[in-house]
Amino acid sequence: MSGGNTGPVVGARGLGSFLLGIATWIITLLFFFPVFWMVLNGFKEEVDANTDPKLFFDPTLDRFSEVTEDTTGLLSFSEAFANSFWSVLISTIVVMAMAIPAAYALSIRPVEKWRDVLFFFISTKFLPIVAAILPLWIIARDAGLLNTRLVLIILYTAMNLPLAVWMLRSFFNEVPKELIEAASIDGAKISSQIRSVILPIVAPGLAATALLCVIFAWNEFFLAVQLNPVDGTTVPVWVQSNVSSRGNFLAKLSAASTLATLPVVLAGWVAQKRMIRGLAMGAIK
Amino acid sequence: MATTTPTDVIDRSEEIRRIQRKEKWRRRIPLLPALLFTIVVTQIPFLFSLYYSVTEWTIRPARPRTFNGLSNYAELVTNKFFRDALLTSVLMTVSSVLLSLLVGTGLALLLDRKVFGQGFLRTLLITPFLIMPVVASQVWSSQMLSRTFGVVNWLLETVGVDRIEFVSRYPLWSIVLVLVWQWSPFMMLIVLAGLQGQDASVLEAARVDGATSRGIFFQITLPQLRPYLELGLLLGSIYLIQVFDHVEVMTGGRGAANVPYFVYQRSIGGGWSFGQASAFSIVVVVFSIIIATFGLRVLSGLLEGEEAA
C-alpha cells in the first residue's frame, strides 16, 4: 500500500480529505447541538417544549418577557444582572490592577525567588474553594458581608488573581529586553516605562486575561449561592431559580439560560483568536 | 596617595548593601498587593478550617464548640460515605480530564486542516466552554438526557431502544459527559495553539523524505505538542477537581457526590457538623497538595524549557 505519490493515490487523498471535512462539519454540529436546542426551546410555548422534540413551531418571544418580568418576592432578572455586572466588572478591574505590577515583578525586573512566588500563586488554585467555604461563610457573616456584592467582589478577585498573574507574566516575558533597557537608560520611571513601553506590546494579552477572568466570574455559581442566597445574588442563581417543581418550565428555563449565557458567549466569540494565544502560546513561552 | 582606610571600606560596603537592599525592595513593592491579598483571602480561611477540624462543633442542634483532638480525622477512615466521595472524585477528575484532552486533541487535529468554514466551525466548537456550568448541566439533564423530553432518549426510541433515565441511572457518567463537553473546547484551543506553532518547513522536509503521516504525527507533532498537552492537563485538573455546580444541578449529590460536594453536604449544605466537615476539607487540601506537587512539577518543566530556550 506504500505505492508512492502517483495519480490515483493523490485522488484518494483528495477524497479522504473531503470526507474528513464532512466529518469535521458533522462532529461540530453535533457538539453545538445542545446550545442550538436550548436557544430554540426558548422561543417555544411550554407545550411545544415539553413534548417529543419539535423542530418546527410558531416562535414566540413570550418566554423572554416572562423571565425578565419583575415578580415581587422573587429574584428579578434586572437585579441579578446588575449584581453580576458589578461584581464581575469590579473584581476584574481589581485583579488586573494587582496582577499587572505583580507580573512585572515576576518577569521584567524579577524579585529573588520569583519561581517560588509564582508557584505559591498557582498552588492556591489547587486548594478547593469548598474546603474554605465554611470559614469564609463565618467570617463574612461576622463582618456583615453576607448577601452583599462586596463579598463576591473580594472572592472573585482572589479566585482569578493567580491565573491572571501567571498569564500576564508570560506576556511580559515576550517584551524584548533591549526595549526595557533602553527605556531605563533614558531614566524613565517604572510607571511610565510600563505605560509607554510594555503595555502597548502586551495589550492583546491583557485583553485575553481579562476576558478569561470575566468568563470565570460571570459563570461562578457556588460562592454566589452559598454566600448571597438572599441579596446580591447573580445570574447563575437566577437561572437556577427558574426551575420550578410545579408545572412545565423547560421553555422558560431555556429563555433564561439563553439570556444568561449571551454576554460571555458573544465576548468569547469575538476574542477567540486572542484566547488561543493568551492561553497557550503566552503560557508556555 | 589616595588610600582607603579600613573604615572607608566598611562604609563603602555598607553603602553598597544599603543600595542593594533598597533595590530589592523596589523590586518587591509591585508584587506586594497581589501577594498580600492572596495570602489573606486564601490562607487565613484554611487556618480556621484547621482549628475547626479538631473541635466538636454542631450548629443544629446548637452545641458549644469543644476540643476533641483527632477524633474527626479518625472517623474519616471509617466513614463509608467519605470513601465513596473520594472514589467518585478520583473517577470524575481523571476521566473528565483525560477524555476532554483526547477529544480536544481530536477536534484540534480536525480543525488544523484546511476545512471549508474553519473559523465558523471553531466558533461553534468553543461555545460549550463559554456556557455557564449551571446552564450546561440544565440543558443536558432536562433537554438532552431526560427520559421524557430528552432528545437523546427520543433518538433511542426512534431506533427501537428503550428510553433510559440517564442521570439517575448513571449519575457519575452523565456528569462526566457534560464536563467533557465543556472542557474539550478548552483543550482544543490549547492544542490548536500548539499545532499552529509548528514549523511548517520541518513537516515539509519530513514529507519529502518520505515519512508517512502517521510517522510525522507520532515522531514530530506529538513531541512538539507535549508542553501544550501538559498545560491542558494541569489547567484541566485545577478546575475539574473542584467541580460543584454540575453535581448540584444535575444530581443534587444523589449517586455522584464528589469530595467537594460531600464537604458541602456535611456543613452548610444541611449537615451543620462544622468540626467534622472541616476535617474532611483538610483531607481534601492534603490530597490537593499531593496533586499540586505533581502539577507544579509539570509547571516547573515548562519553566525549565523557558530558561533553556
Side-chain angles (χ1 to χ4, degrees), chain A residues 121-133:
Chain A
F121 276 116
I122 294 297
S123 73
T124 65
K125 287 300 303 179
F126 280 101
L127 299 175
I129 194 78
V130 172
I133 189 68

Side-chain angles (χ1 to χ4, degrees), chain A residues 18-34:
Chain A
F18 177 73
L19 289 178
L20 265 180
I22 300 275
T24 311
W25 269 84
I26 293 174
I27 291 169
T28 304
L29 293 179
L30 281 177
F31 228 83
F32 187 74
F33 179 77

Side-chain angles (χ1 to χ4, degrees), chain A:
Chain A
M1 282 297 287
S2 55
N5 292 325
T6 47
V9 179
V10 172
R13 190 178 281 172
L15 182 67
S17 143
F18 177 73
L19 289 178
L20 265 180
I22 300 275
T24 311
W25 269 84
I26 293 174
I27 291 169
T28 304
L29 293 179
L30 281 177
F31 228 83
F32 187 74
F33 179 77
V35 181
F36 165 76
W37 196 246
M38 169 189 92
V39 176
L40 201 68
N41 272 343
F43 291 96
K44 288 179 183 172
E45 299 290 348
E46 292 294 351
V47 198
D48 292 325
N50 293 277
T51 181
D52 280 345
K54 261 190 193 168
L55 209 49
F56 301 101
F57 56 92
D58 284 335
T60 166
L61 285 172
D62 290 357
R63 300 296 87 65
F64 287 92
S65 49
E66 269 171 40
V67 293
T68 49
E69 207 162 72
D70 286 359
T71 319
T72 40
L74 291 178
L75 174 64
S76 76
F77 168 74
S78 51
E79 208 183 309
F81 205 91
N83 288 333
S84 268
F85 178 82
W86 289 112
S87 311
V88 170
L89 182 76
I90 298 176
S91 72
T92 304
I93 291 174
V94 177
V95 164
M96 298 307 279
M98 289 198 286
I100 291 171
Y104 176 88
L106 292 175
S107 64
I108 290 175
R109 286 167 137 273
V111 295
E112 300 164 279
K113 303 196 174 161
W114 59 268
R115 190 181 291 224
D116 293 342
V117 178
L118 189 64
F119 281 179
F120 168 73
F121 276 116
I122 294 297
S123 73
T124 65
K125 287 300 303 179
F126 280 101
L127 299 175
I129 194 78
V130 172
I133 189 68
L134 184 60
L136 284 176
W137 186 76
I138 291 166
I139 295 167
R141 188 195 58 186
D142 294 350
L145 288 177
L146 286 186
N147 298 310
T148 63
R149 284 176 192 166
L150 183 60
V151 71
L152 291 187
I153 292 172
I154 294 172
L155 292 175
Y156 290 173
T157 305
M159 172 177 94
N160 283 327
L161 192 56
L163 188 73
V165 169
W166 186 35
M167 283 181 67
L168 289 178
R169 190 197 74 95
S170 2
F171 288 116
F172 280 4
N173 276 351
E174 287 187 10
V175 179
K177 288 244 152 46
E178 305 79 53
L179 266 182
I180 298 161
E181 274 157 21
S184 40
I185 288 168
D186 289 350
K189 276 198 182 144
I190 291 184
S191 55
S192 66
Q193 201 184 338
I194 293 183
R195 225 175 305 129
S196 60
V197 181
I198 301 171
L199 280 189
I201 299 177
V202 297
L206 292 186
T209 310
L211 178 74
L212 215 61
C213 292
V214 167
I215 293 177
F216 284 128
W218 182 269
N219 289 347
E220 203 286 330
F221 171 70
F222 179 67
L223 292 169
V225 78
Q226 299 308 334
L227 300 174
N228 289 1
V230 184
D231 272 323
T233 209
T234 55
V235 170
V237 183
W238 169 76
V239 170
Q240 198 53 359
S241 76
N242 283 291
V243 177
S244 89
S245 49
R246 276 178 301 160
N248 292 332
F249 56 84
L250 265 190
K252 252 177 88 176
L253 182 63
S254 301
S257 302
T258 306
L259 289 176
T261 49
L262 206 60
V264 160
V265 168
L266 287 181
W269 281 355
V270 171
Q272 49 177 310
K273 279 201 168 166
R274 273 189 195 153
M275 272 217 314
I276 296 186
R277 249 181 67 78
L279 273 174
M281 282 190 167
I284 278 173
K285 271 196 187 149

